[in-house]
Amino acid sequence: MEFLDLLMLGFGEALTPTNLGFCLLGALLGTLIGVLPGIGPTATIAVLLPITFYLPPLAGIIMLAGIYYGAQYGGSTTAILVNLPGEASSVVTAIDGYRMAQKGKAGSALAVAALGSFFAGTVATFGVAIAGPMLSSFALSFGPAEYVSLMIFGLLAATVLARGPVLKAIGMILFGLLLGMVGIDASSGEERLTFNAIELFDGIDFVVIAIGVFGFTEIIENLENVEGRGVLVSKLSRLWPTREDFRQAWPAVLRGTGVGTFLGILPGGGATLSSFCAYSLEKKVSRTPEEFGQGAVAGVAGPEAANNAGAQSSFIPLLTLGIPSNNMMAMMLSAFIIHGITPGPTVLQTQPQIFWGLVASMWIGNLMLVVINLPMIGIWVKLLTVPYRLLYPAILLFCCVGVYSINNRIFDVVLAAGFGFLGYLFRKAKCEPGPLLLGFVLGPLLETNLRRAMVLSDGSPSVFFERPISLVLLVATAAMFILMVLPSFRKTREVAFREEEA
């Protein structure tokens, strides 16, 4: 009964005109950036973070969350119709979705993607509502030692799930930890890595790195890519799947929902990893694997369900433990902090309207996205006719304004541009930038909790082994490390990522 009362509290908050309006705005913006290549949800949320400071806390968080899961819907539209994935998580959708469009089944593919996404989003949202209170109650027993062990486990897990060589992923995390140390140390008052630059005394702002590594880098890569955009292959004659399409789609949707919900919770997981894994799974369990790549319905249904489930289940560790599982959740963590809210187990006790309002808005946002995407497909696709040479100056301007508005300093814009060039070099070197952002966000939290644990134990490191939860997490971390160095595991991992790239 208490669960239903809290759920009603959430819907009461989410259905206020203000929150409903910002939910719709987030869904529209998410669809737009999902359709248009050149700026993803990470950079968009980074640009809009300073603006949310002037909004009510729940309204701002609802809008940013809507942008994240809305981008998953938008990316599938152009992946199917013009073979141009707007989002990384929609890359595999294009493989079979575009083939279906070429066969005159574009409407069916779009409907399968939208309905599968809505079902997966609903299940994942329900999972957040169920798992949230349970994990929060468990997390109340966490002390500094447990949080240190949990963050070490999360950072190592992120390197396993990151694309590319493990050593490069570890290097990116270490570089992120190093960037998190820049500024004046709160305990000793000593300068760290500031190079006597007054602008760095307060550290590097999260938005500066995020817009640089994701926004500016994406613009550079798109300008470098001279390939033309595709064209709509056929007119949409039917926006509803046939009975046979439904028969092939629903098992794939169920499996994709399960895969996405599970992988979204894991450190380093999320929408992109979930979609690739779901596609690989569908290909392996199919009785006709030769149809994949030729317009298989399951090749659209599974990944689309997985990327939406993964996008929304990744909120679970953030809302319950205060630990972001991927770079997008690191953005959301910053949004909470801007409004003076510390995500974690205490949020459900002290500010239940924030947690339950966000959960309710996720389901409402998913419903809005089905309505937004199917009837308005023609409008979204027409946006692709706008030349990128006209789009990128506007994107660049918004990025610069977003960075400048943080502290009203040109220095931040120049620093973001520097990170943009650095991010471009990272991409060329096949280094994924996501672990860098995770390391940057978790570094200060790790340092703070490590100091607290050592103070409480009078400097004895045995505190990490004396507390049962901390010990279990450290054992799991050690087991994962041993697994990483095994040649058989490394080979399997490399084969899996090669299949994804193919």
Side-chain angles (χ1 to χ4, degrees):
M1 191 64 183
E2 183 184 359
F3 175 76
L4 291 176
D5 291 339
L6 290 170
L7 206 55
M8 288 301 102
L9 169 67
F11 275 102
E13 292 285 339
L15 289 172
T16 61
T18 300
N19 291 337
L20 206 57
F22 279 104
C23 184
L24 177 61
L25 179 61
L28 284 169
L29 285 173
T31 302
L32 177 64
I33 63 167
V35 167
L36 294 175
I39 181 168
T42 308
T44 304
I45 290 176
V47 170
L48 294 176
L49 265 178
I51 298 173
T52 61
F53 181 77
Y54 303 100
L55 300 178
L58 184 56
I61 292 166
I62 283 175
M63 182 185 71
L64 296 180
I67 291 172
Y68 178 35
Y69 55 77
Q72 315 308 319
Y73 279 78
S76 65
T77 300
T78 49
I80 291 169
L81 292 180
V82 294
N83 198 25
L84 184 66
E87 269 302 296
S89 58
S90 300
V91 169
V92 288
T93 304
I95 298 172
D96 286 283
Y98 187 60
R99 289 292 186 184
M100 288 181 69
Q102 288 180 316
K103 294 177 180 179
K105 299 179 66 177
S108 180
L110 288 165
V112 164
L115 296 174
S117 296
F118 176 70
F119 174 82
T122 300
V123 172
T125 301
F126 188 71
V128 175
I130 295 292
M134 293 169 58
L135 280 175
S136 291
S137 300
F138 173 67
L140 286 171
S141 60
F142 277 35
E146 284 80 6
Y147 273 108
V148 168
S149 301
L150 178 63
M151 282 184 257
I152 293 173
F153 173 79
L155 289 171
L156 188 64
T159 63
V160 176
L161 296 177
R163 288 183 187 79
V166 172
L167 283 178
K168 288 184 178 180
I170 293 174
M172 294 296 282
I173 281 181
L174 292 176
F175 184 49
L177 292 172
L178 194 67
L179 291 174
M181 294 174 63
V182 174
I184 295 178
D185 181 34
S187 299
S188 64
E190 294 288 329
E191 294 179 30
R192 300 192 302 189
L193 304 173
T194 61
F195 304 101
N196 293 322
I198 297 174
E199 294 87 353
L200 293 177
F201 281 5
D202 291 329
I204 302 172
D205 197 278
F206 175 82
V207 176
V208 171
I209 295 179
I211 290 182
V213 172
F214 289 95
F216 289 167
T217 300
E218 196 72 28
I219 292 171
I220 297 170
E221 282 201 322
N222 276 277
L223 289 174
E224 185 184 49
N225 182 15
V226 295
E227 292 181 9
R229 292 174 178 177
V231 295
L232 186 62
V233 295
S234 61
K235 291 185 179 180
L236 301 177
S237 56
R238 175 192 176 107
L239 266 178
W240 197 254
T242 62
R243 183 176 295 180
E244 178 62 20
D245 291 336
F246 268 121
R247 187 188 67 78
Q248 295 179 36
W250 74 263
V253 168
L254 290 176
R255 286 190 290 266
T257 301
V259 168
T261 302
F262 174 70
L263 290 178
I265 299 172
L266 296 180
T272 304
L273 180 69
S274 300
S275 64
F276 280 109
C277 290
Y279 189 81
S280 299
L281 176 63
E282 290 307 314
K283 202 171 180 179
K284 287 176 182 176
V285 302
S286 174
R287 295 178 181 176
T288 54
E290 66 278 1
E291 291 184 3
F292 282 78
Q294 304 300 321
V297 175
V300 174
E304 279 303 301
N307 66 32
N308 279 274
Q312 294 184 203
S313 65
S314 56
F315 279 89
I316 293 176
L318 174 67
L319 294 174
T320 57
L321 302 172
I323 305 294
S325 59
N326 53 50
N327 57 306
M328 279 304 309
M329 290 303 104
M331 293 284 184
M332 295 305 300
L333 176 63
S334 296
F336 277 97
I337 292 172
I338 281 176
H339 291 285
I341 301 168
T342 304
T346 57
V347 170
L348 271 80
Q349 277 74 36
T350 59
Q351 295 172 299
Q353 73 279 5
I354 297 291
F355 176 87
W356 293 104
L358 178 59
V359 169
S361 76
M362 287 181 183
W363 187 85
I364 295 169
N366 272 277
L367 187 60
M368 286 179 175
L369 284 162
V370 174
V371 177
I372 289 169
N373 277 268
L374 291 180
M376 297 173 64
I377 282 169
I379 296 174
W380 300 122
V381 175
K382 280 193 178 296
L383 288 171
L384 291 170
T385 61
V386 180
Y388 191 69
R389 67 177 184 275
L390 300 180
L391 280 177
Y392 89 83
I395 296 170
L396 190 61
L397 176 64
F398 282 121
C399 287
C400 291
V401 170
V403 172
Y404 182 80
S405 64
I406 304 165
N407 298 307
N408 297 325
R409 296 187 312 197
I410 294 294
F411 176 84
D412 290 334
V413 179
V414 175
L415 194 60
F419 277 113
F421 179 69
L422 195 61
Y424 175 73
L425 296 180
F426 286 150
R427 298 274 181 98
K428 289 298 181 184
K430 306 294 183 185
C431 295
E432 192 177 348
L436 182 150
L437 213 57
L438 271 181
F440 178 76
V441 171
L442 291 181
L445 295 173
L446 179 62
E447 182 182 10
T448 300
N449 282 284
L450 179 62
R451 281 179 168 171
R452 287 175 182 169
M454 297 307 288
V455 167
L456 291 172
S457 64
D458 293 326
S460 172
S462 62
V463 66
F464 299 105
F465 305 98
E466 292 171 351
R467 298 179 67 89
I469 298 175
S470 176
L471 179 61
V472 169
L473 288 168
L474 288 176
V475 169
T477 303
M480 189 184 302
F481 181 78
I482 293 170
L483 194 66
M484 283 171 57
V485 299
L486 291 176
S488 58
F489 177 80
R490 290 208 309 269
K491 185 177 179 181
T492 303
R493 181 180 178 276
E494 289 170 5
V495 169
F497 284 124
R498 275 202 300 269
E499 285 181 1
E500 285 185 12
E501 290 172 1

